[in-house]
Amino acid sequence: MISRSDDLELLLSVVDCGGFSPAANQLNVPVAKVSRAIQRLEKQLGVTLLQRTTRRISLTEEGKLFVTNIRQGLQQLESAEEQLRLRMDQPKGRLRVDAATPFMLHQLVPLLGEFRDQYPEIHLELSTSEGIIDLLEKRTDVAIRIGHLEDSSLHATLLGRSRLQLLASPDYLQDRGYPASPQKLQEHQLLGFIPPTRLNKWPVGEGLEIKPDLAASSGEVLRQACLSGEGIGCFSSFMVQQDIDDGRLIRILQDEMQSPNPREQVQAVYYRNTALSSRINAFIEFLKPRLQLS
């Protein structure tokens, strides 16, 4: 028997992914299954929800109203189910976690085995996003964010602080030398982020906004470039401490770094209007003592 809520979940996936095929790929289901779900909903409702062209799909006015309402409805349904689990005091169910690629690789992935052994009834779904995401739109339960949190609709639990470091490889420094001051950094090859450029404001000296010679959207890409001798980068300790300990990367201008600063904060965030579920609480409390941030 096909669940009505399953069809609604498929509709949201089509809207969020921008098409039938991307939604089917993300959910690992046949495109035909997605198409049939939308057809069933439109037949039951007696309206057209999606406008289809050869290039894209878009919501009709009726579709926009319907999608807004079902997002809220599905969230309430999930909250009701979670309240029952809370009463049973047995953390279980799907937990959707999002983090930037470096944090996912260097901090979360090494802890997965222990977490799954401790909470075998919690089924993790992991996603990586290099920028700020809409938790509701992406249907994410909890996201790990680095830096100051501006969205007041989110609840945040501070997991710790991770100091920023200016780093370069030994080969780069042997070839180009050490910068003697923050101002001298501008004479070097600098690694930074593509827009938005807030991450290109380095907390060194009085503060330095760089124009990167090599820019990327991912901190992990910049780390690999730094290891390969492509220049000087600014990294959170949680992703480079092992490189420093092993001598693959060298600290630069360590005494000139501003600390503490807002970019050091590592936080778990979730919506304020969502009851703190047992699975989210279990995940956060598990992480706190095990993260290697400094």
Side-chain angles (χ1 to χ4, degrees):
M1 182 176 178
I2 298 171
S3 167
R4 177 77 171 270
S5 63
D6 289 343
D7 286 351
L8 296 177
E9 290 276 5
L10 289 172
L11 172 61
L12 290 182
S13 292
V14 170
V15 173
D16 294 339
C17 294
F20 288 77
S21 293
N25 289 336
Q26 184 182 70
L27 298 173
N28 195 28
V29 299
V31 176
K33 179 177 180 178
V34 178
S35 180
R36 286 194 298 270
I38 306 306
Q39 291 173 4
R40 275 194 301 271
L41 287 172
E42 290 181 329
K43 183 177 180 180
Q44 292 164 354
L45 296 169
V47 297
T48 300
L49 299 173
L50 299 173
Q51 293 174 332
R52 305 160 176 84
T53 68
T54 55
R55 293 188 175 181
R56 56 175 301 208
I57 62 101
S58 61
L59 286 166
T60 63
E61 288 303 312
E62 294 81 5
K64 290 178 183 177
L65 177 62
F66 186 63
V67 164
T68 298
N69 288 331
I70 64 173
R71 282 195 195 278
Q72 297 172 351
L74 288 174
Q75 184 180 12
Q76 290 172 351
L77 175 61
E78 188 169 335
S79 179
E81 292 173 345
E82 201 57 45
Q83 290 301 318
L84 290 178
R85 295 190 183 107
L86 278 171
R87 288 178 65 89
M88 298 171 63
D89 195 29
Q90 294 177 351
K92 66 170 69 174
R94 178 173 56 179
L95 180 65
R96 297 161 293 196
V97 179
D98 186 90
T101 302
F103 198 89
M104 185 68 72
L105 292 176
H106 295 280
Q107 295 295 318
L108 296 187
V109 169
L111 298 175
L112 292 182
E114 184 181 356
F115 180 80
R116 295 173 71 187
D117 287 342
Q118 191 166 332
Y119 297 100
E121 296 301 315
I122 295 181
H123 303 290
L124 291 172
E125 291 185 4
L126 307 178
S127 63
T128 56
S129 303
E130 307 310 320
I132 302 300
I133 65 166
D134 185 320
L135 270 64
L136 183 59
E137 180 178 327
K138 297 300 183 182
R139 286 178 283 167
T140 297
D141 296 312
V142 59
I144 309 300
R145 291 189 179 170
I146 314 300
H148 178 65
L149 184 66
E150 297 180 355
D151 190 342
S152 60
S153 69
L154 296 174
H155 183 70
T157 297
L158 182 66
L159 298 175
R161 295 179 178 274
S162 187
R163 294 192 62 172
L164 292 171
Q165 314 259 13
L166 292 187
L167 301 168
S169 71
D171 288 344
Y172 176 86
L173 293 173
Q174 184 176 2
D175 182 51
R176 298 291 300 271
Y178 286 74
S181 67
Q183 294 73 28
K184 291 292 185 179
L185 285 167
Q186 302 288 19
E187 301 174 8
H188 284 260
Q189 297 285 335
L190 303 182
L191 309 177
F193 290 85
I194 62 175
T197 56
R198 62 184 179 84
L199 296 181
N200 291 332
K201 296 178 181 178
W202 290 0
V204 58
E206 297 299 317
L208 179 67
E209 184 162 3
I210 69 159
K211 294 182 179 179
D213 299 283
L214 174 64
S217 62
S218 167
E220 184 62 23
V221 171
L222 295 178
R223 170 180 168 268
Q224 293 293 337
C226 193
L227 287 167
S228 297
E230 296 299 325
I232 297 172
C234 183
F235 302 96
S236 294
S237 295
F238 70 77
M239 62 185 294
V240 292
Q241 190 57 52
Q242 193 62 53
D243 298 321
I244 295 170
D245 292 344
D246 294 342
R248 292 189 295 265
L249 292 176
I250 307 296
R251 293 186 182 95
I252 296 168
L253 298 172
Q254 187 175 2
D255 294 337
E256 296 282 351
M257 296 299 290
Q258 302 169 9
S259 182
N261 69 72
R263 281 182 57 188
E264 295 176 345
Q265 299 176 59
V266 180
Q267 303 179 85
V269 298
Y270 43 91
Y271 274 104
R272 285 188 180 277
N273 60 0
T274 300
L276 181 59
S277 70
S278 59
R279 65 186 190 275
I280 293 177
N281 186 58
F283 183 72
I284 291 174
E285 292 305 313
F286 174 86
L287 285 185
K288 276 184 179 180
R290 292 171 174 81
L291 294 176
Q292 303 292 319
L293 301 180
S294 60

